[in-house]
Amino acid sequence: MFTGIVETIGTVSVLEKQDDTTSGGGGTSLTIAVDEEILGDAHVGDSISVNGTCLTVTDFDKTSFKVGVSPETLRRTNLGALKQHSGVNVERAVSASTRMGGHFVQGHVDTIASVVSTTPDGNALTFRLKPRDKVTLRYVVEKGFVTLDGASLTVTQVEDDAGWFEVMLIAYTQERVVLAAKKPGEDVNVEVDMVGKYVEKSVAGYFAGLQGQEMPMLEKIVSRVLSEKGIKTG
């Protein structure tokens, strides 16, 4: 679990398409250089967020760590497009003493979005993004949370029919996340707020369980209000 508050921007120092070492696991691996303080309490097996993707630390030293990246992760995230010297957002998993400055982030990328445009607004930058999987927009609401490359951000506008949403980066955030440097056409990992998913499933289950039952209380209240206004229902 993560907060979406990026701790540092790391740099891909080594990218191995076929890493047959024990820590590479016989697949793709990334070695990422970071500030020494980030790894002060690191352990092999720790979860760590790289561009919003929850990965497992397989090796580390004082200034870098290695993670293995599965074929599924390469297909579903922008990690497959990384190159040596690419910058990535890094956040360690939450601990008992972590302040929840962002929101609950799982590190499970829902879709990739492409940057449509960037528009300066004073000292801020507005990013318009179009998700590859348009259905994810049902969980994106104005003033709600969305995680972009692991950074917890506030949605400023959504256009469901057009298939895009916008976020704004203040000057402080521009210096601390990789999104600030991205140009139109580049991809961003998107994780929607998981609370919306749970609410949707709970509501769907509730109504599914009501099939064939007496009209629920909420519908009775609505029906009565409409009746009092002279509006026929049913």
Side-chain angles (χ1 to χ4, degrees):
M1 184 71 71
F2 307 93
T3 68
I5 304 300
V6 176
E7 292 187 279
T8 190
I9 294 179
T11 303
V12 177
S13 57
V14 180
L15 190 160
E16 293 282 353
K17 296 291 186 181
Q18 184 63 39
D19 188 343
D20 292 320
T21 65
T22 302
S23 58
T28 299
S29 72
L30 297 171
T31 300
I32 299 169
V34 291
D35 297 332
E36 188 171 337
E37 62 185 45
I38 294 296
L39 298 172
D41 59 352
H43 300 85
V44 170
D46 281 354
S47 293
I48 196 162
S49 173
V50 178
N51 271 5
T53 307
C54 181
L55 300 172
T56 300
V57 175
T58 59
D59 196 10
F60 69 96
D61 56 28
K62 289 185 177 181
T63 58
S64 67
F65 66 91
K66 180 189 279 190
V67 290
V69 187
S70 71
E72 172 72 359
T73 299
L74 293 172
R75 286 190 294 266
R76 295 180 65 94
T77 73
N78 63 12
L79 299 187
L82 294 175
K83 301 176 181 178
Q84 191 174 18
H85 307 306
S86 292
V88 290
N89 291 334
V90 176
E91 182 191 354
R92 292 169 293 180
V94 298
S95 66
S97 61
T98 301
R99 297 185 66 180
M100 184 55 68
H103 71 285
F104 291 114
V105 176
Q106 294 177 297
H108 300 161
V109 175
D110 291 298
T111 190
I112 289 174
S114 294
V115 177
V116 176
S117 63
T118 60
T119 306
D121 187 357
N123 67 343
L125 279 177
T126 296
F127 283 78
R128 179 172 295 182
L129 302 112
K130 192 166 189 175
R132 175 189 296 174
D133 186 0
K134 189 176 177 180
V135 72
T136 55
L137 283 172
R138 71 168 65 167
Y139 308 110
V140 180
V141 297
E142 187 172 335
K143 303 308 178 187
F145 290 117
V146 68
T147 307
L148 301 181
D149 280 340
S152 174
L153 297 168
T154 302
V155 178
T156 57
Q157 190 174 354
V158 186
E159 286 292 342
D160 293 314
D161 293 337
W164 55 259
F165 66 92
E166 292 182 343
V167 297
M168 180 178 285
L169 300 186
I170 62 173
Y172 178 89
T173 306
Q174 290 172 40
E175 298 176 357
R176 290 165 173 80
V177 299
V178 296
L179 175 60
K182 293 197 172 182
K183 308 297 181 185
E186 294 192 73
D187 290 335
V188 178
N189 290 333
V190 179
E191 180 185 333
V192 298
D193 189 356
M194 64 180 179
V195 173
K197 295 180 184 179
Y198 286 124
V199 170
E200 180 185 57
K201 186 172 183 178
S202 296
V203 171
Y206 172 76
F207 282 108
L210 290 174
Q211 291 182 0
Q213 296 185 22
E214 183 184 356
M215 182 186 295
M217 182 60 67
L218 179 58
E219 290 187 29
K220 288 181 180 180
I221 295 172
V222 172
S223 180
R224 179 175 178 178
V225 170
L226 294 176
S227 177
E228 291 175 352
K229 292 182 178 292
I231 301 174
K232 293 184 179 181
T233 61

